[in-house]
Amino acid sequence: MTAELIDGKAEAARILDEISQEVERLRRSGDRLPGLAVVLVGDDPASQIYVRKKREDCIQVGFTSQAHLLPEETTQAELLALIDRLNADESVDGILVQLPLPRHVDTETVIERIAPNKDVDGFHPYNVGRLTLRLPALRPCTPFGIIRLLDSLGETYKGRHATVVGASNIVGRPMALELLLAGATVTICHRFTGDLQRHVAAADILVAAVGKRGIVDSAWIKPGATVIDVGMNRDEAGHLAGDLDFETARERAGYITPVPGGVGPMTRAMLLHNTLSAYRQHQD
């Protein structure tokens, strides 16, 4: 068995094309265009690349964008004051504060300061709580993008066993909530889980979101399973790789996301999807 690749680039391109068409209709009708503000504190090279790509995505679909590039020594109070200004700015529909933040800034305080209806990352406790209550509003981008990928395959969820390995607030926990919302029977594994192999081997849908290679052995994968690899690591040769050994996983899975080109493009696409959703809510 050789798994079929799940093409995140192609699905993301379809989403961005749909957004572009809607923005063009807004432009022709003379309406205000959706706006995204991106905030970066410090000079982390990876974060700078992410912010640049997000701004390029805005240009591609026709959004207006703001970039607030702040020095490493920016205080928490100064950052919160900027967020307050962006919350009050009617031209801004979405606010994204690039993580990680410098150690002297409390991440949770910053996330909670963003207005929930402008929280296009979907990290605010209000938005996570809505997802928990089966009343989703703005949804965390990576899990939401994974659901869109699974939907594109015709995934049925109901009667299917999904295992999520990794319990972070950004991916693992909201991913479990998304799968539960869709109707799957969900197991979420973390560092205290016993017999990880058994839980992985039982999964019809496996989401590996550990952020470290070698924790999940690809040989454990259930034959024919749908495998989503969220990890972004460097292998021994310095190449980008996921949490799983791709070649071994591909020989066992039915469908699998590549790294790169799987989940990453969907995360960026769903950020713009959320921004457009926030825009519609503001207009209403």
Side-chain angles (χ1 to χ4, degrees):
M1 177 185 297
T2 300
E4 182 176 338
L5 292 182
I6 306 172
D7 192 341
K9 286 184 179 179
E11 184 63 24
R14 280 191 284 271
I15 293 169
L16 294 181
D17 184 60
E18 291 172 1
I19 295 172
S20 297
Q21 292 180 37
E22 180 156 352
V23 172
E24 181 57 30
R25 286 193 292 271
L26 294 171
R27 189 190 308 277
R28 287 199 301 267
S29 63
D31 291 329
R32 178 180 71 83
L33 301 181
L36 174 66
V38 180
V39 180
L40 172 63
V41 184
D43 54 5
D44 177 73
S47 293
Q48 290 177 332
I49 292 171
Y50 294 146
V51 167
R52 187 186 74 243
K53 288 181 176 179
K54 288 164 184 174
R55 294 200 71 198
E56 290 171 354
D57 290 340
C58 286
I59 293 171
Q60 178 181 342
V61 301
F63 286 3
T64 64
S65 67
Q66 300 181 19
H68 298 269
L69 310 179
L70 308 179
E72 180 84 15
E73 60 271 17
T74 299
T75 67
Q76 180 166 302
E78 290 170 334
L79 178 55
L80 294 177
L82 171 60
I83 292 171
D84 289 342
R85 292 196 296 274
L86 295 174
N87 283 336
D89 188 339
E90 293 186 359
S91 70
V92 173
D93 300 290
I95 301 170
L96 181 148
V97 177
Q98 184 65 45
L99 303 179
L101 290 167
R103 291 186 177 182
H104 66 275
V105 177
D106 183 70
T107 299
E108 294 307 317
T109 298
V110 171
I111 289 172
E112 291 186 27
R113 193 63 161 254
I114 300 170
N117 63 346
K118 294 191 177 187
D119 165 43
V120 288
D121 259 335
F123 295 161
H124 194 285
Y126 173 84
N127 287 318
V128 177
R130 295 274 303 192
L131 183 58
T132 302
L133 296 174
R134 297 179 289 179
L135 298 168
L138 294 175
R139 297 153 76 168
C141 296
T142 298
F144 192 14
I146 290 170
I147 290 294
R148 288 290 295 261
L149 279 180
L150 292 173
D151 288 346
S152 74
L153 301 177
E155 180 57 68
T156 55
Y157 304 103
K158 297 177 177 64
R160 300 268 281 168
H161 187 175
T163 297
V164 180
V165 186
S168 72
N169 289 342
I170 294 174
V171 180
R173 292 172 188 266
M175 186 73 252
L177 293 172
E178 285 281 6
L179 288 163
L180 187 62
L181 177 67
T185 299
V186 182
T187 298
I188 183 165
C189 301
H190 44 77
R191 59 180 176 150
F192 302 118
T193 297
D195 198 358
L196 179 61
Q197 179 177 351
R198 176 172 63 86
H199 296 297
V200 170
D204 300 304
I205 304 167
L206 173 65
V207 180
V210 181
K212 185 176 181 181
R213 290 176 64 79
I215 302 297
V216 180
D217 190 330
S218 296
W220 299 342
I221 293 170
K222 181 179 182 179
T226 298
V227 176
I228 307 292
D229 193 342
V230 185
M232 187 68 72
N233 312 285
R234 295 282 176 180
D235 63 16
E236 296 77 7
H239 301 133
L240 282 175
D243 286 345
L244 301 166
D245 178 75
F246 179 77
E247 294 304 326
T248 303
R250 192 176 186 187
E251 290 304 312
R252 297 186 64 81
Y255 293 93
I256 190 169
T257 55
V259 178
V263 174
M266 292 299 296
T267 298
R268 288 166 53 193
M270 300 321 292
L271 173 69
L272 299 188
H273 181 281
N274 278 350
T275 302
L276 183 58
S277 296
Y279 168 85
R280 292 171 179 149
Q281 181 180 345
H282 298 162
Q283 294 299 91
D284 291 341

